[in-house]
Amino acid sequence: MEPYIPLIVSALGGAVVGPIIARLLGGSGAMGVVGGILGGIGAHYGAEAAGVGLLFGTSPMMVHLQNFVEGGIGGGILGLLAGIVLKKR
């Protein structure tokens, strides 16, 4: 279960921040949730593949906060794009 905790926290960050950013920038809030979850997980893997280290520190709380922020950023971007695409249809 331990390896899945960063993914869960990233997905949670995307699910929380994704719809907010999507709605603020004119996208759909419902697709912001789905896009947020997928974008959060994708951003976590992307940051890991890019070699982004522990920017906020090495304590467990800071690692979880970094995972949440990564998920929020990726979720916001993908949630916005998914909302815009579905809004135009």
Side-chain angles (χ1 to χ4, degrees):
M1 183 67 177
E2 186 73 26
Y4 299 114
I5 292 176
L7 294 175
I8 293 169
V9 173
S10 294
L12 181 64
V16 170
V17 179
I20 295 171
I21 292 176
R23 287 300 279 175
L24 287 176
L25 297 177
S28 168
M31 278 312 294
V33 174
V34 175
I37 292 171
L38 296 175
I41 293 172
H44 175 75
Y45 279 123
E48 188 176 316
V52 175
L54 299 174
L55 300 176
F56 293 167
T58 58
S59 71
M61 185 62 185
M62 290 293 117
V63 172
H64 291 315
L65 181 64
Q66 180 174 340
N67 289 330
F68 187 84
V69 170
E70 285 174 359
I73 292 170
I77 292 169
L78 192 60
L80 172 66
L81 294 176
I84 289 173
V85 167
L86 289 179
K87 187 176 181 181
K88 292 195 182 229
R89 288 183 163 198

